Amino acid sequence: MSLPGTRQPAYQVVDPATGELIRSFPYATDTEVAEILGASQATYLGWRERTVAERADLVRRAGAGLVRRSRELAATMRLEMGKPLSEGTDEIEYCASIFDYYADQGPALLADEELVTRGEGRAVVQSRPIGPLLGVMPWNYPCYQVARFAVPNLVLGNTVIIKHAESVPLTAGALEQVFLDAGLPHGAYLNVFATHEQVDAIIADPRVQGVSLTGSERAGSVVAAAAGRHLKKCVLELGGSDPFIVLDSPDVAAVAALAWRTRIHNNGQACNSNKRMLVMADIYDAFVATLVAEAEAVDAVAHPPLASRAAAEHLAAQVDDAVAKGARLLAGGVLSPDRSARYTPAVLVDVTKDMRVWHEELFGPVAVVHRVTHDEHAVELANSTPYGLGGAVFSTDPQRARRVAERLETGMANVNTPSGDGPELPFGGVGRSGFGRELGPIGMSEFANKRLVCTAVNPRA
């Protein structure tokens, strides 16, 4: 979620509503990084020996502590990245469901798996921890993104080091305190205000066994390259350009309103947001008219800012490029002239392949609408992107929608719903959207040693 070529001089809290610098935090020293690595490894040696039930109980306590601090954390997120308070508290509640899911299901998910063998003897596959892990986290969901990486790995028995986005240091510190207050040993969950160079050094350290990143393609390629050099497992959740396909609808205004609400949730700053709306020609005009009405009804003063002025300027430049090349901006698309990160929600049509918005992710409240003429056309357009995170298909005929959804080249496909949400459902993509999965049973397996143990019935002399 970071922007190409941008880097702050330190971890900073900048109010996106005003552009005012609130507070700065220095980067960690190399000595501090070394201490964090040492603590993470030392704690891992004891943490892995605790029972799954013990680890799960402490994680459950941490989830309860997170909920108790929901208002405080929601206010912090609003200050650091502009998230409305209601969406902030919703994020915390969803995080709590992740804590509870893995606390409840962890022991069963980590139970030995008995294999059917061809000969005599017994064989089981165990799920064992592998050691300290590094999580490189984004700013758009500063609590949720951490929870879905850290929680299953803590229950598994790994320890985690979190390098959070440089724009959300207060949230980063608060999350570390939540785990400490719950009784997890120091070193199980550690926050580090690392530089880019220190991140590379952490990945290279032989004590660190894997790295998970949620962020931009550029950041993902850098982290994956470092992990590859040092033979470390990595999981990447990168950008997305998810299609929202409407084949038909008995209530066009209703499905368009749903598409709009989905698009502007978190102010459009979500990897799996519906970045492209592909609508059948016979309902296209009515669909677009509803979107325009929704956009024009937005109170530009009350609408939240994007996470940073740089993010708003980047989005504006993408839309301006499209308009300059012939796209039509039907509503919104106004960048605030002051230092704030405000950008009015927009509706953009007539986008073509020579425009940046065709190929790049739009990380903000811009609805791009395409007219499609038949199911094959919808599939072709939906798959005409290097991204492959998620997608949704709507139709009064569920079987028709399912046939189209089955052909989407994505990690997640949804029928008659914008997305499938829940801690039990795996999240992740293909192509330039990354690889690996978080959440669900799979999310507990990405950084597990699937150890085979074979036992002979009659030991040989």
Side-chain angles (χ1 to χ4, degrees):
M1 312 316 163
S2 60
L3 298 174
T6 63
R7 182 175 175 187
Q8 298 175 169
Y11 284 70
Q12 296 182 343
V13 179
V14 177
D15 186 348
T18 63
E20 177 187 3
L21 174 62
I22 305 298
R23 189 175 175 185
S24 294
F25 295 81
Y27 288 117
T29 65
D30 290 344
T31 298
E32 289 170 334
V33 171
E35 291 172 350
I36 286 171
L37 286 165
S40 186
Q41 173 66 16
T43 300
Y44 166 69
L45 298 177
W47 184 245
R48 69 181 179 181
E49 298 305 322
R50 297 199 187 193
T51 67
V52 177
E54 288 177 310
R55 295 194 297 261
D57 182 62
L58 288 170
V59 164
R60 191 190 304 279
R61 291 186 198 176
L66 188 73
V67 172
R68 288 193 295 271
R69 299 182 66 172
S70 61
R71 291 186 178 181
E72 171 196 341
L73 282 163
T76 300
M77 287 188 282
R78 182 177 67 173
L79 174 64
E80 292 186 314
M81 52 77 60
K83 190 185 298 289
L85 288 175
S86 60
E87 292 189 15
T89 54
D90 286 347
E91 181 174 336
I92 298 302
E93 290 176 3
Y94 190 36
C95 287
S97 73
I98 296 172
F99 282 73
D100 288 343
Y101 171 76
Y102 284 109
D104 291 338
Q105 301 299 321
L109 293 174
L110 296 175
D112 290 355
E113 178 187 356
E114 188 90 25
L115 301 180
V116 177
T117 60
R118 292 186 299 171
E120 295 182 346
R122 183 184 178 216
V124 298
V125 174
Q126 300 175 324
S127 294
R128 299 291 300 157
I130 59 174
L133 306 173
L134 173 66
V136 182
M137 298 289 106
W139 45 259
N140 58 328
Y141 290 98
C143 292
Y144 161 61
Q145 303 280 10
V146 171
R148 70 187 198 184
F149 161 67
V151 169
N153 280 298
L154 287 168
V155 174
L156 171 60
N158 295 320
T159 54
V160 297
I161 300 168
I162 301 296
K163 186 277 178 199
H164 220 316
E166 297 176 14
S167 58
V168 292
L170 294 176
T171 301
L175 289 173
E176 182 181 59
Q177 194 61 48
V178 163
F179 285 98
L180 287 172
D181 290 346
L184 275 79
H186 175 74
Y189 179 106
L190 290 169
N191 177 63
V192 59
F193 289 156
T195 65
H196 295 182
E197 292 76 18
Q198 288 170 335
V199 167
D200 193 72
I202 292 170
I203 295 172
D205 191 285
R207 291 167 290 190
V208 173
Q209 299 302 307
V211 55
S212 178
L213 175 137
T214 298
S216 67
E217 291 176 76
R218 177 179 177 181
S221 65
V222 171
V223 165
R229 283 197 305 273
H230 301 288
L231 300 178
K232 306 292 178 70
K233 171 71 180 288
C234 70
V235 169
L236 302 178
E237 198 273 280
L238 309 177
S241 188
D242 291 13
F244 186 103
I245 302 170
V246 184
L247 303 176
D248 57 69
S249 175
D251 190 339
V252 177
V255 73
L258 174 62
W260 179 257
R261 291 194 302 272
T262 304
R263 185 67 190 99
I264 67 169
H265 182 73
N266 204 37
N267 214 2
Q269 300 167 121
C271 300
N272 63 329
S273 177
N274 50 338
K275 308 285 176 27
R276 297 172 297 145
M277 301 177 192
L278 316 183
V279 184
M280 280 294 170
D282 59 332
I283 59 174
Y284 174 88
D285 290 339
F287 187 97
V288 170
T290 298
L291 290 183
V292 171
E294 294 278 0
E296 291 177 342
V298 171
D299 184 339
V301 176
H303 190 76
L306 276 82
S308 68
R309 179 68 184 187
E313 291 176 350
H314 184 74
L315 182 66
Q318 291 172 302
V319 173
D320 290 348
D321 170 79
V323 172
K325 294 174 181 175
R328 289 187 295 143
L329 184 63
L330 303 183
V334 177
L335 177 65
S336 177
D338 58 21
R339 294 191 303 156
S340 77
R342 298 189 186 277
Y343 186 84
T344 57
V347 178
L348 191 65
V349 299
D350 298 342
V351 169
T352 55
K353 292 183 179 181
D354 61 328
M355 302 170 187
R356 290 175 59 189
V357 299
W358 183 282
H359 306 282
E360 299 177 5
E361 179 180 26
L362 287 174
F363 216 62
V366 179
V368 175
V369 194
H370 297 271
R371 186 193 309 265
V372 293
T373 55
H374 49 80
D375 293 10
E376 185 66 29
H377 185 199
V379 171
E380 179 184 359
L381 188 55
N383 291 334
S384 65
T385 173
Y387 296 105
L389 191 54
V393 185
F394 289 80
S395 174
T396 55
D397 181 350
Q399 292 183 344
R400 179 189 180 193
R402 177 63 180 264
R403 286 195 298 270
V404 171
E406 291 277 7
R407 298 180 64 195
L408 298 181
E409 295 170 0
T410 61
M412 302 174 288
N414 305 282
V415 175
N416 287 331
T417 182
S419 64
D421 297 317
E424 73 281 7
L425 302 178
F427 187 103
V430 297
R432 298 190 73 84
S433 289
F435 45 79
R437 295 294 182 269
E438 293 181 310
L439 298 180
I442 303 174
M444 188 164 262
S445 299
E446 290 287 1
F447 293 103
N449 172 16
K450 292 293 188 177
R451 183 171 65 184
L452 173 67
V453 178
C454 292
T455 304
V457 173
N458 299 308
R460 297 174 181 175

